[in-house]
Amino acid sequence: MDKMKVVGGKALRGTVRTSGAKNSALKLLFATLLAEGKHTFHNVPKLMDVDSSATLLESLGAIVTRKGHTVTVEVKAPGSFEANYDLVRKMRASILCLGPLLTKYGQAQVSLPGGCAIGSRPINLHLDGMKAMGADIELRNGYVHASAKRLKGTNILFEFATVGGTENIMMAATLADGVTTIENAAKEPEIVDLANYLVKMGAKIEGAGTSIIKITGVDKLKPAEHTVIPDRIEAGTLIIAAAIAGGDVTVADCVPEHLEALLAKLREAGYGIETAATSVRVRSTGGAKCVDVTTAPHPGFPTDLQAQFMALMCVSEGVSLITETVFENRFMHVTELQRLGADINPKSRVAVVRGKPGGLEGAPVMATDLRASASLVLAALASRGTTTVSRIYHLDRGYEQLELKLASLGANIERIKSDGSDDSELA
Ligand code: UD1
């Protein structure tokens, strides 16, 4: 498997552009199942998770074509309504085909996603919502078997503002009979992007981006064309890279309003942050200090930037308390950061980081999940000597050419292609 080799100590300078949002693109691709015909998306990032979604759509009879960053999906009535285990286990977001298939064709069989490195991540809220809309749901042989003549609009109150649950129910409700109201809906920008596309397809949706979303079902939707929003997590990762390595970097083609929680924390830590309409400039003047961070659903501090921010705290002055409230097991990067010399004491959902400016030293480390991998690459930028990060297939799931983007800013980073000799790691 490929590895990333990073030699730390280089300041970053220049401008780098943000790619399209992974977490938007995946949902948009699954939304195509709501209308037969040709859907077109621009600014689709080149990522493994996007490829996995395309493979799943193809297994349902669609033809997916990519030209650069434009993807077209030609949807036909599927011969089967099954999302099989091999496809779903590679990417949990595959569960997002359940709502569209069920509401459009009255049936779906989707493999249960199973456990995940960052916590158990159940789908009970998705299923309860669909049951409340009149679906018959059974769990058999590791699959969700769902059926319904036509889903019926109803009121759904989520106990937790689930991103995937909000998206699945919103898509299911577009073709349901009557009005569905989602209360305590998640407010992430990717949900707004999905709603915008569904509205282009002919759906009636109000309130996306607030905690109450109202969807009035229609009889039919049609394919449309859309440009994916910029990836706020990738932009945030690049911004933290500039902060941790030092220097002066402009992250272009992003939406600064989507990054407010991060930017506020960076300002508090002492970084110079300037925003323009579609870019963020970050300047490090040295001596940044530790600040406390608690993750929360949007517009709170994103859990998907927690690991990267922890890496930054490891080399800042003082002590930082990092509290993870969204997932129960999202500190797997801690032991790897400790291999670089970080002083972190994790207890349940809170980690105490004692910052050591200039105190990290390169080492071989291993990526455990997507955002953890990014945190190791960032920590390596601030470490003395060489770090090799293995299992970077996690990184490739969610970052488009991160190493090339960092290298273009002056980082000493390169991908070492696998010669196959160490693939026993896979086991
Ligand atoms: C999405 C994002 C992920 C991000 C997360 C939170 C995608 C593809 N992934 O994941 O990058 O970290 O939002 O911002 O968009 N929960 C339940 N029951 C459910 C659903 C969720 O208990 O039915 C719990 C989960 O276990 C977790 C929390 O709710 O603790 C948040 O999960 P959710 O918002 O659903 O995250 P995802 O949609 O899986």
Side-chain angles (χ1 to χ4, degrees):
M1 279 177 285
D2 291 1
K3 292 181 179 171
M4 207 71 91
K5 180 178 159 201
V6 184
V7 183
K10 289 262 205 162
L12 304 187
R13 286 183 205 286
T15 298
V16 63
R17 90 158 276 279
T18 315
S19 297
K22 167 181 91 74
N23 286 352
S24 226
L26 304 184
K27 323 311 169 52
L28 292 166
L29 289 172
F30 291 126
T32 62
L33 293 167
L34 290 163
E36 286 157 30
K38 187 174 163 191
H39 303 250
T40 304
F41 301 109
H42 306 288
N43 201 30
V44 179
K46 292 184 183 171
L47 300 171
M48 250 161 61
D49 274 7
V50 170
D51 296 343
S52 302
S53 308
T55 307
L56 177 48
L57 291 176
E58 283 164 349
S59 79
L60 293 166
I63 300 167
V64 184
T65 321
R66 178 189 273 279
K67 274 206 186 108
H69 288 91
T70 295
V71 170
T72 55
V73 185
E74 180 90 42
V75 176
K76 300 179 187 153
S80 108
F81 303 94
E82 179 180 311
N84 79 40
Y85 176 65
D86 276 341
L87 297 175
V88 177
R89 78 184 166 84
K90 284 201 187 118
M91 190 188 65
R92 270 186 52 86
S94 308
I95 192 66
L96 270 299
C97 69
L98 180 62
L101 284 176
L102 177 62
T103 198
K104 169 85 175 140
Y105 298 104
Q107 58 167 310
Q109 299 88 44
V110 180
S111 170
L112 283 163
C116 164
I118 58 171
S120 61
R121 300 184 88 174
I123 53 161
N124 55 313
L125 301 175
H126 304 227
L127 301 185
D128 290 349
M130 288 181 210
K131 277 187 206 158
M133 296 175 81
D136 273 329
I137 307 260
E138 279 180 46
L139 302 184
R140 274 187 275 125
N141 310 110
Y143 277 72
V144 178
H145 293 256
S147 60
K149 264 220 170 82
R150 186 175 182 190
L151 294 174
K152 284 197 174 27
T154 188
N155 274 16
I156 293 167
L157 168 62
F158 282 133
E159 157 192 338
F160 185 90
T162 157
V163 174
T166 301
E167 293 164 334
N168 232 344
I169 297 299
M170 189 166 74
M171 288 192 279
T174 55
L175 291 174
D177 181 17
V179 177
T180 302
T181 308
I182 307 174
E183 292 181 59
N184 196 23
K187 298 184 277 202
E188 271 64 6
E190 294 75 23
I191 291 172
V192 179
D193 202 32
L194 174 61
N196 287 342
Y197 185 61
L198 294 171
V199 168
K200 284 184 186 171
M201 291 174 74
K204 292 191 177 153
I205 302 175
E206 291 163 46
T210 75
S211 58
I212 300 183
I213 305 180
K214 186 176 146 193
I215 307 109
T216 305
V218 297
D219 290 336
K220 202 169 179 330
L221 296 171
K222 56 182 192 315
E225 187 164 352
H226 190 70
T227 299
V228 179
I229 57 168
D231 195 312
R232 65 196 164 96
I233 304 302
E234 188 208 21
T237 302
L238 293 166
I239 288 167
I240 300 172
I244 202 166
D248 183 350
V249 168
T250 298
V251 177
D253 296 344
C254 65
V255 183
E257 297 81 57
H258 293 171
L259 289 157
E260 273 170 7
L262 169 67
L263 300 182
K265 283 293 161 189
L266 289 172
R267 286 192 178 106
E268 191 185 331
Y271 290 95
I273 304 285
E274 284 166 39
T275 58
T278 58
S279 66
V280 174
R281 179 176 177 192
V282 51
R283 269 176 302 165
S284 165
T285 44
K289 59 180 197 302
C290 279
V291 291
D292 296 341
V293 158
T294 299
T295 65
H298 192 76
F301 192 94
T303 173
D304 285 351
L305 287 175
Q306 179 256 108
Q308 300 89 316
F309 200 83
M310 185 184 288
L312 177 63
M313 294 299 94
C314 290
V315 293
S316 303
E317 295 274 358
V319 178
S320 164
L321 285 189
I322 299 195
T323 308
E324 172 59 55
T325 73
V326 179
F327 291 108
E328 79 266 28
N329 183 20
R330 205 173 196 180
F331 282 148
M332 266 120 35
H333 41 284
V334 165
T335 46
E336 297 303 300
L337 289 171
Q338 285 167 337
R339 289 177 55 76
L340 299 173
D343 182 347
I344 310 169
N345 187 6
K347 288 249 157 59
S348 179
R349 288 182 176 226
V350 182
V352 181
V353 182
R354 290 189 173 77
K356 293 161 75 173
L360 300 191
E361 221 174 343
V365 290
M366 192 177 280
T368 50
D369 68 57
L370 170 54
R371 307 304 170 185
S373 328
S375 81
L376 296 174
V377 170
L378 299 196
L381 294 175
S383 300
R384 283 191 309 279
T386 303
T387 298
T388 46
V389 185
S390 54
R391 297 199 173 180
I392 55 158
Y393 56 88
H394 290 292
L395 204 65
D396 295 332
R397 282 188 41 220
Y399 289 94
E400 183 174 337
Q401 300 191 316
L402 182 65
E403 73 278 20
L404 296 187
K405 290 191 179 189
L406 291 173
S408 77
L409 297 172
N412 188 339
I413 177 168
E414 63 174 318
R415 179 181 291 258
I416 302 170
K417 287 272 177 202
S418 164
D419 59 5
S421 61
D422 60 354
D423 282 359
S424 56
E425 256 192 284
L426 260 175

